[in-house]
Amino acid sequence: MSSQFDQKDSHRPPRMGRAMLTLMLCVTLYSSALQAAPPENTVELVDLEGQTHTPLRNAKAKATILFFLLPDCPISNAYAPEIKRIAAQYAEQEIASFIVYVSPDLSVEDAKKHATDYGYEIPVLRDLSFELVRETEVTIAPEVAVVSAEGKCLYRGRIDNLYAALGKRRFKATQHDLRNALDAILQGVPVPQETTKAIGCYIPKPKTDARLLTR
């Protein structure tokens, strides 16, 4: 009797072996699930030149600045010179920049005209379905979001304090919040103030069929 029991038990894997097989199976299933799941923050938008971008996942840059603008907002347009200066200066330090128009019915032709009129040479996106607006939680134009290569929002808010309030413009800005955030990111230290209040025009709500306009 004893010899039969020993013979049957000899075909069973040791307890430690079964545990190891279970662990390996779990790891395999978890890895498969990760491969099947879409990565987060993979918003894809086509710029005015027809190039596809994933501005929230830009592995080629140390960080990415999204300048959210409304073409008919005077404060947005007043910031054009500073936006161009910041984009040019920090591009040399591997910081990418995008203009993001958030007017829900802005045509490609009107977007191109506005970008040309204000001299924007960085990629220009139209966020007609407000995917970037929702991901970054911006509400005002002009407002900026700075995201890491992995899609983490590092700074959101105003470019500087040129406007104390609506209709109250200073002679020149005395606090340069966006530049301070970018300098901190490049130095590898915490951003001194991760969020600030932007002054400008409220971003309108998207149209329900906005996605169709992007096709």
Side-chain angles (χ1 to χ4, degrees):
M1 179 68 72
S2 174
S3 60
Q4 291 178 354
F5 177 82
D6 292 342
Q7 184 177 2
K8 186 184 295 182
D9 192 58
S10 66
H11 293 292
R12 297 178 180 173
R15 182 171 299 176
M16 182 64 72
R18 290 199 298 272
M20 184 61 70
L21 287 173
T22 302
L23 177 61
M24 293 176 63
L25 178 60
C26 291
V27 170
T28 301
L29 291 174
Y30 180 70
S31 299
S32 299
L34 285 179
Q35 292 175 359
E40 296 179 354
N41 298 334
T42 53
V43 176
E44 284 189 357
L45 291 177
V46 178
D47 66 19
L48 298 182
E49 304 302 321
Q51 300 296 316
T52 300
H53 300 275
T54 55
L56 299 181
R57 290 279 182 175
N58 189 354
K60 297 180 180 178
K62 293 179 179 176
T64 298
I65 314 169
L66 303 176
F67 293 96
F68 292 89
L69 305 179
L70 282 167
D72 57 354
C73 176
I75 298 180
S76 281
N77 294 333
Y79 269 100
E82 177 65 353
I83 290 173
K84 290 185 289 185
R85 284 192 292 265
I86 291 174
Q89 176 183 338
Y90 287 92
E92 298 174 355
Q93 301 175 73
E94 301 180 50
I95 301 288
S97 296
F98 290 91
I99 297 295
V100 183
Y101 288 133
V102 289
S103 181
D105 54 359
L106 184 67
S107 68
V108 172
E109 291 72 21
D110 288 342
K112 285 184 176 180
K113 183 178 185 310
H114 186 271
T116 299
D117 288 347
Y118 284 88
Y120 291 128
E121 297 181 349
I122 56 180
V124 177
L125 307 174
R126 293 182 307 145
D127 189 17
L128 300 182
S129 56
F130 283 40
E131 294 174 278
L132 293 177
V133 170
R134 284 192 295 272
E135 290 289 343
T136 58
E137 300 180 355
V138 297
T139 59
I140 298 293
E143 189 168 2
V144 300
V146 181
V147 296
S148 69
E150 296 78 24
K152 180 182 179 182
C153 189
L154 303 173
Y155 172 75
R156 181 182 64 246
R158 65 189 183 186
I159 295 171
D160 56 35
N161 71 340
L162 182 62
Y163 285 85
L166 289 176
K168 294 184 178 180
R169 174 173 174 162
R170 294 183 171 91
F171 177 71
K172 65 178 182 180
T174 58
Q175 298 179 19
H176 302 276
D177 307 273
L178 174 57
R179 289 177 178 270
N180 292 341
L182 295 172
D183 290 341
I185 292 167
L186 290 172
Q187 294 168 14
V189 300
V191 172
Q193 193 169 359
E194 295 182 357
T195 59
T196 56
K197 181 180 179 181
I199 303 294
C201 308
Y202 280 105
I203 296 174
K205 294 183 178 179
K207 294 183 176 180
T208 55
D209 60 347
R211 286 176 182 274
L212 299 177
L213 296 175
T214 65
R215 305 304 182 197

